[in-house]
Amino acid sequence: MRDFAKALSGVEYPASWLEGDGLKDRAVASITQYIIEIMARERTEGICEGIGQTYDEYFDMRRKARDIVRVFWPNVDLDEPNCLVIYPTVDARAKGRSARTPMRIGRALRRMYPVLTDSEVDTLVDRIKDDLFAKEWTVKRGREAEDFRHAYAHTRAPDQNLATTVAKKMLCTSCMRYEFEHLPNHPAEAYASGEFEIIWLEDRQGRIGGRCVVWMEPETPQPGPIYAVAEEAYELIYAALPENCGDFYDSDWSGALLKSIPYDGGYVAPYIDTRTKWLTDASPNYLQIDSRGEIDGNCYTGILGQDERPECVACGDRVHEDDAYHNNDGETYCSYCYGETYIHCEHCHEEGFREDSSTVYMANRYSRHYAETWCEHCTSNNAIEVTNGDVWQLDDTFELADTDDRVSIVQLEDGEYFLCDWNEVAYEMTELCNLGEGLSVSREALDHFNATDGNYVYIYNENTGEYDKTAVEHEEQASA
């Protein structure tokens, strides 16, 4: 593995430097996460090729890599959009905040981690800009069905922290964010009656940063809540509302018309996200929001006018929305059926099928062992079955000599196998040879050494039960 601690090699620094002296640590946390991801990937590749570090060596390197970012303590400055502000040297760190200097993001990363490749630096620069700096948003608006469908269902920009209220909501929590491919139309397309306008944001990659539906028919337009991925996105949409727009807390869509899209005994339509949530069948072409209506708009399934409660796709029971669970396709499950069908992978934090999941064991840096539930993809790529049938995180397993098998760190601790100190390969206990110098090696490795070194051999000491290193006496030495 590359020396990710190279920037501070041989440098002593006080522990107080790792506390940040009151500086914000958002950039520190993000960059630490990126570096650890690279290190973990490199160690996994090394293990697969038989050249990985030992467990202790890896975690020592990881600790030092974390220290580096805290010694240089990078931060963002809104006045320097392409830079990180850091302590440029260890000497500068000792001088305090006055010595902090803006530096181009890529150059700052190389200053802290000179072993990064060009490709890794480019990737990290993009991620840092995406996560930490203000995005370049484009405000868009439209009234066509495609505009509503796109703003609701297209790929979202990454989420950031957002202080939510009933008028300001996280885009990732919207029940209408799915594609609803099982329906003939996206429910939001019902807003394309000509009376509503959708205002939304897109970043440079075309990802959605926020949206707001506004009923434009009244003299004072009535906005729905703003859904956004970040405070900045919320502020931009709020600023883009019509000049004479009313306040959400006073909004009332009573009398507004939605397109009538009959389907399966009901109507394809969205959850009505304002005060009045009932609708009536006003005409063959329209539904009208009406507090005395017979169609309940307080439903998240995309179909209004059927039984008000959604139906579990697994068992068919009707489910109160407060007790409903939704998979990634927007399908509704009761709590029991969802738990029987899906898991949330503790490795990638994505949804996966329970029948394909695995219990994966692992150890932390303090040698505490624990288990997580992983999806099939993460298990296939980051875990392996060991000789006792358990599935372990690949990083916590070791090659078993002369086989294609691997053993876990627990099997080593329990004495089922031992790890040869000379080659980091696991062996059966019958192959154990203890050396007088405190190392444990395999019979195979010991025999190879004795046969090839020429200067020393290890000889068994019956009194200690160990092998002592003994110099070989050559002929010229004997004749002398």
Side-chain angles (χ1 to χ4, degrees), residues 167-196:
K168 179 172 63 172
K169 302 184 179 184
M170 288 292 296
L171 188 59
C172 64
T173 66
S174 169
C175 59
M176 294 287 112
R177 68 187 185 276
Y178 308 106
E179 294 187 3
F180 289 91
E181 293 179 335
H182 62 291
L183 298 179
N185 302 80
H186 190 283
E189 293 181 38
Y191 283 127
S193 63
E195 294 193 355
F196 289 91

Side-chain angles (χ1 to χ4, degrees), residues 430-445:
T430 55
E431 295 295 308
L432 175 62
C433 296
N434 292 315
L435 306 186
E437 57 206 56
L439 301 179
S440 298
V441 301
S442 68
R443 166 62 61 186
E444 176 187 36

Side-chain angles (χ1 to χ4, degrees), residues 67 136 171 179-180 246 260 270 281 333 363 368 371 445 452 464 470:
D67 285 357
E136 295 181 14
L171 188 59
E179 294 187 3
F180 289 91
S260 176
D281 189 352
Y333 286 80
R368 295 193 183 99
T452 60
T464 63
T470 306

Side-chain angles (χ1 to χ4, degrees), residues 12 15 30 130 150 207 229 244 254 257:
E12 294 185 4
S30 295
D130 205 33
H150 177 76
R207 299 173 298 187
V229 298
N244 60 335
S254 294
L257 296 178

